[in-house]
Amino acid sequence: MTENGEDSGLGQPCEAPAKGDSIVNESRTLKTLLVDVKTCKEQNDAVKHSQITRNTEGEIIPYQPRPPSLPRLSKGSRSVSLEETVRTRRLRNSQESLSDSPDNGSSTDSLKEDQAVVLSGAATLRNEQASNVGCLPAATTDSPVFRDRGSSLSEYERRPHSQQSDPTDHRLRSTKLRLSPVQPTGPLPALERSFASATLRAANRIDRDCLDYVTLAKGKLGERLHRNLSDSRLLENMGSDSASVNSMRSTYSVLSPIRPQDVRNRSFLEGSVLGNGALLGAEELDRYFPDRRVGIYITTWNMQGEKGIPANLDDLLLPTDSEFAQDFYIIGVQEGCPDRREWEIRLQETLGPYYVMLYAAAHGVLYLTVFVRRDLIWFCSEVEHATVTTRIISQIKTKGAVGIGFTFFGTSFLFITSHFTSGDTKVYERILDYNKIVEALALPKGLPDTNPYRSTASDVTTRFDQVFWFGDFNFRLSKERCDVETIMNQTAGGDMAPLLEHDQLSKEMKDGSIFKGFQEAQINFPPTYKFDIGCDIYDTTSKQRTPSYTDRILFRNRQADDIKVVKYTSCTSIKTSDHRPVVGVFQVKLRPGRDNIPLGAGQFDRSLYLEGIRRRITRELKRREAMKNQGSSTICTIS
């Protein structure tokens, strides 16, 4: 109070002043205000003077007020504003777990940390308001704009007016209990092998006709998943049906681009070790056969000259116990049906459009047919065949052999089917038949020998890499029928070793008098000769022939372990002959070749293919029509 009873500021007088004193009082009031403003200015100047900085040249840098930094949240963290801290905490809270990792401390520590951050952020906000606002009136500092200056004024001003709410709401929400995030203590599990999102799965769904592309690889080491060539490479690399067929083909296509310069400079003599650019070389071989093994299915059957062909050959060529079909199908027939063309059409109808008949040869009633997957015909050489008769009169072609030879990539194959002399005791005559065939079978003719240093002029089986010889060899069991039946009744679990001790062929092979260098898989099936037609009873005629293993499949290779036996059994469901067909499935080693091998140019029997597919379609249409008629002829009765 002044001596006149007035406040030093804008206070009111205690009593009414005289009229002459009004001017004096007003001047004193103005002086008091000027003194207050001067005092505030001096304080600000003092603060600025205390924080004056100079550059390297000694010049004074004008003072620029800066807000104090927030305390560090954790080691290695940068200083952030209260709003950013709350926003970060809220984001982390959406990913946190209810349990703590041992490395992150307890939930109590996390709670304390959150509270400390909120309190320190609030204190920093108040300091920023005081330093930035200066001596502005208190009523002005309560504005949300100035309270938010500590975080980001420019960010706040850019917000829509509807979003400029009171930040005290953030401080209230940030005090919720939060647990620290859990860190994995070990490696995370592998993600699902998917190449597209859930949206693309519906957009790029694969048709049922392309289901080969969605099969997952089955991790069987050393074993090819599919025989599908182009499909097999896709299956080993793919893991999902998310992508479209076109995108998969563009990414995993087996086709490689061909440059014009490569076509100009191609020598056509590459292959084997080099393998670059050769059609039959190592690069092309690895593309279609990564494990370098081809699947071969062989069956031999004495049809007994019956005119009637079984209605269904699926059990013979496509048994249900096989997981996959093979790449080659070789069918040898002795005493075949009179209509050989009909037999070949039925084979094509059974195998369907995936296979084409590469070659077929015959010697009298001996038929030998080779089917191959249609996408493999480009790697087959020209096919050659030869025949040999073992009868004294060459016009009688009931006994003898027919052979087919060709080269696939760089591996040469020879398939022989034969019918030896019959009779229980004519072992010597059968040995003569064998010797005559290996000496007289004139193969190969125009094909180059892949390993001439191991070839012998007197033995055709030494001039090929892989040889399969199968047929009705007519070797019997040297035992009385009653004794053979007794042994068969005593054998358990398919162990036929007691019977094979009396097998003539096994004995002669051990002595080295026949099939030199050949092997045979273990026999675990009953004798295939001789049955009564249409049943599983052995010969009940007056001759009472002894059951025997007359039908066999033998193999020979130049390199050890090139041929792996997958299955060796008999087909018991076909009973139209007195013989049961014998089936063998093999995995054969392939090697790259040179382009000097004369290729077959993809030739196959087109007319046979069209007729077989036409019959297959007709059969399917008849089956569907029969099912439709059966469904529409159902009569409903009301009781």
Side-chain angles (χ1 to χ4, degrees), residues 431-567:
I431 295 176
L432 292 179
D433 292 343
Y434 164 80
N435 291 330
K436 185 175 182 178
I437 292 171
V438 297
E439 293 177 3
L441 198 63
L443 290 174
K445 300 176 182 178
L447 296 176
D449 193 335
T450 54
N451 197 343
Y453 299 102
R454 294 194 176 189
S455 300
T456 303
S458 59
D459 190 347
V460 66
T461 62
T462 63
R463 300 195 286 268
F464 291 84
D465 295 322
Q466 320 293 352
V467 181
F468 293 88
W469 197 329
F470 44 93
D472 183 2
F473 298 150
N474 264 321
F475 284 96
R476 313 299 174 90
L477 293 178
S478 301
K479 199 74 173 175
E480 296 294 333
R481 173 165 178 166
C482 58
D483 297 333
V484 171
E485 291 179 345
T486 301
I487 296 175
M488 292 176 59
N489 295 331
Q490 294 176 354
T491 57
D495 183 15
M496 299 299 172
L499 276 180
L500 294 174
E501 293 179 358
H502 310 284
D503 180 51
Q504 295 175 351
L505 178 59
S506 301
K507 180 180 179 301
E508 296 299 329
M509 289 180 65
K510 289 179 181 179
D511 296 340
S513 58
I514 194 174
F515 289 111
K516 299 175 182 179
F518 280 83
Q519 306 175 55
E520 184 180 17
Q522 184 177 358
I523 296 178
N524 294 318
F525 51 90
T528 57
Y529 174 83
K530 169 181 172 56
F531 289 91
D532 289 343
I533 303 298
C535 63
D536 294 326
I537 301 175
Y538 288 99
D539 186 22
T540 58
T541 62
S542 58
K543 294 184 178 181
Q544 290 287 306
R545 293 184 178 88
T546 302
S548 301
Y549 293 99
T550 59
D551 308 281
R552 315 285 275 269
I553 301 176
L554 307 178
F555 58 90
R556 172 180 179 168
N557 48 38
R558 280 176 171 171
Q559 302 290 337
D561 301 326
D562 272 2
I563 298 178
K564 175 185 175 183
V565 180
V566 178
K567 181 170 61 175

Side-chain angles (χ1 to χ4, degrees), residues 38-335:
K38 181 179 180 180
T39 303
C40 183
K41 182 178 180 181
E42 290 176 353
Q43 292 176 355
N44 292 338
D45 293 340
V47 172
K48 294 179 180 179
H49 181 73
S50 63
Q51 299 181 2
I52 290 176
T53 57
R54 297 176 183 272
N55 58 12
T56 57
E57 299 178 358
E59 297 179 358
I60 298 176
I61 301 175
Y63 168 73
Q64 297 179 356
R66 298 178 182 177
S69 60
L70 291 176
R72 295 183 179 181
L73 300 181
S74 60
K75 185 176 181 180
S77 302
R78 61 180 180 87
S79 299
V80 293
S81 63
L82 176 61
E83 181 180 351
E84 292 174 345
T85 304
V86 173
R87 188 185 304 112
T88 304
R89 288 288 179 182
R90 187 178 304 146
L91 179 60
R92 289 175 54 189
N93 185 43
S94 64
Q95 300 176 353
E96 287 172 352
S97 173
L98 296 178
S99 60
D100 281 342
S101 170
D103 299 335
N104 287 342
S106 64
S107 59
T108 306
D109 296 335
S110 176
L111 178 60
K112 291 179 180 179
E113 181 186 355
D114 287 344
Q115 293 176 349
V117 169
V118 174
L119 294 177
S120 61
T124 304
L125 183 61
R126 288 194 295 271
N127 293 336
E128 290 175 358
Q129 293 172 0
S131 61
N132 290 337
V133 177
C135 294
L136 292 175
T140 308
T141 60
D142 275 341
S143 171
V145 176
F146 287 94
R147 268 193 277 111
D148 242 350
R149 285 283 186 181
S151 59
S152 176
L153 181 59
S154 60
E155 179 182 353
Y156 186 88
E157 291 173 344
R158 287 196 301 267
R159 299 178 187 171
H161 181 72
S162 60
Q163 297 181 8
Q164 297 180 1
S165 59
D166 192 349
T168 56
D169 182 34
H170 298 289
R171 288 199 293 271
L172 292 177
R173 285 197 294 267
S174 65
T175 58
K176 290 179 62 178
L177 296 180
R178 295 187 180 92
L179 301 178
S180 59
V182 177
Q183 299 295 334
T185 58
L188 296 176
L191 297 177
E192 179 184 359
R193 297 178 63 189
S194 178
F195 299 116
S197 63
T199 306
L200 293 179
R201 292 180 182 177
N204 297 328
R205 191 177 302 278
I206 296 177
D207 296 336
R208 295 185 180 273
D209 295 335
C210 303
L211 288 181
D212 285 342
Y213 291 95
V214 307
T215 307
L216 297 178
K218 292 184 178 179
K220 295 183 179 179
L221 299 179
E223 182 174 346
R224 189 149 53 95
L225 175 65
H226 260 302
R227 307 284 174 239
N228 286 20
L229 302 178
S230 59
D231 298 355
S232 65
R233 297 301 295 271
L234 296 177
L235 297 175
E236 292 173 3
N237 293 282
M238 288 184 48
S240 174
D241 59 341
S242 305
S244 65
V245 177
N246 292 334
S247 64
M248 284 186 294
R249 285 178 176 173
S250 62
T251 304
Y252 300 97
S253 176
V254 300
L255 297 178
S256 58
I258 302 176
R259 297 175 298 180
Q261 194 67 22
D262 297 336
V263 180
R264 283 171 173 256
N265 300 332
R266 188 167 179 176
S267 67
F268 294 97
L269 295 176
E270 297 175 352
S272 296
V273 179
L274 298 178
N276 295 325
L279 178 63
L280 305 178
E283 183 180 354
E284 196 79 5
L285 175 60
D286 292 338
R287 179 178 292 121
Y288 285 89
F289 296 93
D291 55 358
R292 294 200 174 187
R293 286 192 175 271
V294 61
I296 295 182
Y297 189 102
I298 296 177
T299 180
T300 177
W301 183 29
N302 187 322
M303 298 181 67
Q304 202 185 9
E306 293 293 329
K307 295 182 180 180
I309 302 175
N312 193 339
L313 296 176
D314 290 344
D315 293 340
L316 177 63
L317 302 177
L318 304 170
T320 56
D321 59 346
S322 296
E323 186 176 6
F324 300 112
Q326 304 304 313
D327 301 310
F328 283 87
Y329 278 81
I330 318 297
I331 303 99
V333 171
Q334 306 83 43
E335 299 184 15

Side-chain angles (χ1 to χ4, degrees), residues 354-420:
Y354 285 111
Y355 296 87
V356 295
M357 191 177 76
L358 181 66
Y359 202 82
H363 176 69
V365 290
L366 284 173
Y367 303 154
L368 182 57
T369 312
V370 177
F371 282 86
V372 61
R373 281 182 56 98
R374 64 185 184 191
D375 29 12
L376 293 179
I377 57 177
W378 305 105
F379 310 104
C380 296
S381 70
E382 295 178 350
V383 185
E384 301 173 341
H385 87 277
T387 60
V388 175
T389 181
T390 56
R391 291 288 192 182
I392 299 177
I393 304 176
S394 60
Q395 284 77 13
I396 303 177
K397 299 180 180 180
T398 57
K399 298 293 188 294
V402 54
I404 290 179
F406 62 90
T407 301
F408 184 65
F409 280 96
T411 302
S412 57
F413 288 86
L414 174 62
F415 299 96
I416 304 174
T417 184
S418 60
H419 194 182
F420 291 169

